[in-house]
Amino acid sequence: MGDRELSCSNSGVGQFMDRGRMNQNGVVQPLLTDLYQITMAYAYWKSGKTDDHAVFDLFFRTNPFHGEFTIFAGLDECLKFLDSFHYSESDIEYLRQTLPEGTENEFFDYLGNLTAKDVTLYAIDEGTVAFPRVPIIKVEGPLIIVQILETTLLTLVNYASLMATNAARYRMVAGKHVKLLEFGLRRAQGPDGGLSASKYSYIGGFDGTSNVLAGKLFNIPVKGTHAHAYITSFSGIGELKTRLLKHKTTGITGDLLDLAVKYRQSLSQVLDVSMEESSEGELAAMVSYAIAFPDGFMALVDTYDVKRSGLLNFCSVALALNDLGYHAVGIRIDSGDLAYLSCLARETFERVAESFKVSWFNKLTIVASNDINEDTILSLNEQGHKIDCFGIGTHLVTCQRQPALGCVYKLVEINGQPRIKLSQDVEKVTMPGHKNAFRLYSADGHALIDLLQKVTEPPPAVGQKVLCRHPFQESKRAYVIPTHVESLYKIYWQNGKICQQLPRLEQVRERVQMSLKTLRNDHKRTLNPTPYKVAVSDNLYNFIHDLWLQNAPIGELS
């Protein structure tokens, strides 16, 4: 079935629209665009092109981070934008003042009545692996409105997909059993960048965020401990104003500080650490924090010295908590040689568990932060670290290895006639016409190739030989006999309504991991991954090259 044959079901649509309006980011509105979208709209209007019908493709040309896959994200926000698209009276008044003098008043009346009701949006599912040149979104409708949507759709998809891909890569190098927390709000490019980073890192595979607002808005688990400032705010145990804590089950009050001091004396011998070298202020801070959060005691141990102070004080307070019926959670290390210190911490916990007969000490969580990136995790893996959880900030949320994905939005058809953009750089030549996309799978369940076809072509059939061609290199072609064929596009917006049940964030997150499993490991590896193949049908190949010849100027030698 071709895209033109798909229809938008009306059942249950209202709830999706309510969902969109309710959670719409207030910054995302029609004026969140480039001025030239509005000036082009006026020129189109002035030229009598209000009834022209256009198709645009939104795609990217290269996978980010020197990898061979991209995670598509941001579709949910695009649909909310379409659902709420309308110029307010203040928007129209601002445009009257901004556009050149002489812009006709009737144009502003036209803008004031403009909505996305006549737009149809096709997309692959959010959270799906995507590849260069395959449109991840196709937008069809009246030329003026689909042109105006360009910048906003791009800004909603570009960073979201880049961020989700970055997070997915961290998840792959960290492994299944290590937790990942996003700690990047303070380093993100502004508040909207911070919120988006929290949302799309969770989609990409992170387990939680430090961003409290993201937790409220997106129902993402929120995690955190304390800063070095909390430790350094205490200079000695004399500053403790509260030292008593009720036993978790009996309710009998105990002196947590007194218990911790006694354990500290015993531990100094077990761990062969001098109490004189450890910080009393750090001990006081940990006792104070443990009293505040006895069931969630996780302490930062590198404020002064992990080996000589932090671990000794933490274990003292953790054993004291144990006497009162509580189990500490673990530690965070924010500086130094993370591989060595994590191994030291794990060895310390094992010695304490054996010496004091507290088996749960072996399972204490070790969290590491400190400017961690992909290469850091790979190096730590090689060194045999004992880290259970990484807190990652700057490199994750700013996508330092590559700050932009580079999605583009190109006109491929107008009034049923294909359009092609030519360039001396073949990578920038567009693939014209309204197209369908299919993912062809091998017998082992792995994706083999993505195939683009004209919408008028029948879809590839399971078990039938399909000629797949490189779009621009004549000699690169191969026959594929798929054991499974997946049609990539669904109609997500039509007739002014969202047409699909939009998944919850957790479901998109699960889809990312499921989609990645369909790729061979050599496509996903960090170093020199195998390029995934994107092809066109023989029909589309000939169509592209015939149109290329028709539009390319003929040179003249003299």
Side-chain angles (χ1 to χ4, degrees):
M1 181 182 291
D3 278 347
R4 295 188 192 278
E5 298 175 71
L6 295 173
S7 62
C8 178
S9 169
N10 289 322
S11 59
V13 161
Q15 61 177 315
F16 308 145
M17 295 178 71
D18 290 342
R19 177 181 184 275
R21 289 195 181 103
M22 217 164 50
N23 297 327
Q24 174 75 32
N25 183 338
V27 174
V28 181
Q29 49 188 290
L31 290 190
L32 185 67
T33 190
D34 295 307
L35 178 62
Y36 80 171
Q37 306 292 3
I38 309 296
T39 57
M40 277 194 292
Y42 179 65
Y44 284 144
W45 179 86
K46 186 76 172 170
S47 301
K49 296 176 75 67
T50 54
D51 294 328
D52 284 13
H53 191 87
V55 179
F56 281 81
D57 286 349
L58 191 157
F59 61 96
F60 56 93
R61 296 187 176 106
T62 308
N63 287 304
F65 312 119
H66 305 291
E68 286 299 333
F69 70 86
T70 299
I71 303 297
F72 169 47
L75 176 60
D76 178 84
E77 295 298 329
C78 291
L79 296 172
K80 293 173 187 175
F81 173 59
L82 292 180
D83 184 34
S84 62
F85 186 94
H86 176 68
Y87 290 101
S88 68
E89 290 184 10
S90 63
D91 291 342
I92 297 298
E93 185 55 37
Y94 173 76
L95 291 174
R96 286 182 191 275
Q97 298 170 16
T98 303
L99 291 183
E101 189 176 343
T103 304
E104 297 180 36
N105 286 329
E106 289 79 4
F107 172 66
F108 297 109
D109 296 336
Y110 172 82
L111 286 184
N113 293 315
L114 200 60
T115 69
K117 66 180 178 62
D118 295 322
V119 171
T120 300
L121 184 143
Y122 310 79
I124 67 175
D125 289 330
E126 186 164 11
T128 300
V129 173
F131 301 99
R133 291 195 167 276
V134 179
I136 46 183
I137 289 177
K138 301 189 301 175
V139 185
E140 179 182 7
L143 173 60
I144 293 178
I145 177 64
V146 294
Q147 179 73 72
I148 282 175
L149 295 174
E150 174 182 4
T151 300
T152 316
L153 293 181
L154 285 171
T155 196
L156 292 174
V157 169
N158 258 313
Y159 180 68
S161 300
L162 186 73
M163 187 68 234
T165 306
N166 202 23
R169 291 175 62 88
Y170 275 95
R171 167 49 64 204
M172 287 194 307
V173 298
K176 297 179 182 178
H177 305 297
V178 174
K179 297 285 186 183
L180 293 174
L181 301 177
E182 177 268 311
F183 283 176
L185 178 59
R186 64 185 60 195
R187 306 287 171 79
Q189 277 87 346
D192 283 296
L195 274 175
S196 294
S198 300
K199 178 179 180 179
Y200 295 112
S201 64
Y202 184 66
I203 282 177
F206 273 58
D207 299 286
T209 178
S210 64
N211 186 339
V212 180
L213 182 58
K216 176 186 176 184
L217 293 177
F218 309 126
N219 198 31
I220 299 172
V222 181
K223 305 290 183 181
T225 52
H226 57 78
H228 293 292
Y230 192 84
I231 300 292
T232 57
S233 71
F234 290 83
S235 59
I237 57 177
E239 295 181 15
L240 276 175
K241 297 179 181 178
T242 303
R243 48 193 287 177
L244 303 179
L245 180 66
K246 289 183 178 181
H247 192 282
K248 185 172 183 178
T249 54
T250 67
I252 298 173
T253 300
D255 190 320
L256 188 66
L257 175 62
D258 186 51
L259 288 169
V261 168
K262 290 177 181 177
Y263 274 118
R264 194 163 171 250
Q265 293 173 346
S266 303
L267 280 165
S268 68
Q269 298 177 355
V270 172
L271 302 180
D272 193 22
V273 177
S274 170
M275 286 194 299
E276 284 72 28
E277 293 183 40
S278 63
S279 167
E280 271 201 359
E282 183 179 56
L283 175 65
M286 289 186 182
V287 168
S288 170
Y289 203 76
I291 290 172
F293 301 102
D295 278 315
F297 178 54
M298 175 169 277
L300 192 57
V301 296
D302 68 313
T303 303
Y304 301 113
D305 187 289
V306 175
K307 183 176 181 179
R308 294 183 175 85
S309 184
L311 285 174
L312 175 64
N313 286 327
F314 169 79
C315 291
S316 301
V317 177
L319 288 171
L321 278 174
N322 184 66
D323 284 358
L324 296 177
Y326 302 95
H327 285 183
V329 175
I331 62 169
R332 178 164 71 96
I333 306 170
D334 191 47
S335 62
D337 185 333
L338 297 179
Y340 165 72
L341 292 174
S342 67
C343 290
L344 173 67
R346 183 60 66 204
E347 181 186 343
T348 299
F349 297 155
E350 290 170 352
R351 290 171 66 181
V352 171
E354 183 180 352
S355 298
F356 294 88
K357 308 304 177 189
V358 281
S359 59
W360 60 268
F361 237 78
N362 285 320
K363 298 178 182 178
L364 283 169
T365 297
I366 300 172
V367 178
S369 44
N370 185 29
D371 215 24
I372 291 168
N373 58 30
E374 256 189 78
D375 293 335
T376 306
I377 297 176
L378 288 168
S379 176
L380 289 168
N381 289 344
E382 291 175 356
Q383 296 173 67
H385 72 83
K386 301 296 182 182
I387 297 164
D388 302 296
C389 176
F390 289 105
I392 304 174
T394 305
H395 289 274
L396 173 69
V397 304
T398 63
C399 298
Q400 282 195 351
R401 290 185 69 184
Q402 182 176 323
L405 176 57
C407 284
V408 293
Y409 187 85
K410 298 298 181 182
L411 177 68
V412 295
E413 183 179 288
I414 188 161
N415 297 328
Q417 298 301 310
R419 291 292 184 266
I420 187 169
K421 175 194 174 294
L422 299 181
S423 171
Q424 291 183 339
D425 182 356
V426 175
E427 287 296 311
K428 292 194 172 185
V429 175
T430 60
M431 287 192 276
H434 202 342
K435 299 171 289 293
N436 277 331
F438 300 90
R439 187 158 293 167
L440 311 185
Y441 290 84
S442 62
D444 63 4
H446 287 128
L448 273 177
I449 196 166
D450 278 14
L451 180 67
L452 289 166
Q453 297 185 168
K454 297 176 71 175
V455 291
T456 52
E457 295 183 68
V462 170
Q464 298 296 311
K465 187 184 291 186
V466 182
L467 178 58
C468 299
R469 306 195 63 172
H470 188 286
F472 303 115
Q473 296 183 30
E474 187 176 17
S475 62
K476 289 189 175 182
R477 52 189 180 168
Y479 284 112
V480 175
I481 303 176
T483 56
H484 172 61
V485 176
E486 179 187 5
S487 178
L488 293 180
Y489 296 130
K490 294 176 184 173
I491 295 181
Y492 270 92
W493 175 269
Q494 193 175 51
N495 300 323
K497 300 179 179 68
I498 296 174
C499 303
Q500 305 287 339
Q501 175 86 46
L502 297 184
R504 299 190 311 276
L505 209 62
E506 294 83 1
Q507 293 172 311
V508 179
R509 186 171 182 266
E510 290 170 6
R511 181 181 289 147
V512 170
Q513 299 308 316
M514 290 173 58
S515 188
L516 282 169
K517 285 179 181 178
T518 66
L519 295 187
R520 297 197 316 260
N521 287 333
D522 58 309
H523 294 308
K524 296 183 287 187
R525 65 191 177 205
T526 303
L527 185 64
N528 296 325
T530 303
Y532 181 85
K533 292 179 174 59
V534 172
V536 297
S537 66
D538 190 51
N539 193 341
L540 180 55
Y541 176 87
N542 292 321
F543 176 71
I544 292 170
H545 288 264
D546 287 346
L547 198 63
W548 192 337
L549 290 175
Q550 290 172 27
N551 286 271
I554 300 174
E556 182 177 332
L557 299 177
S558 59

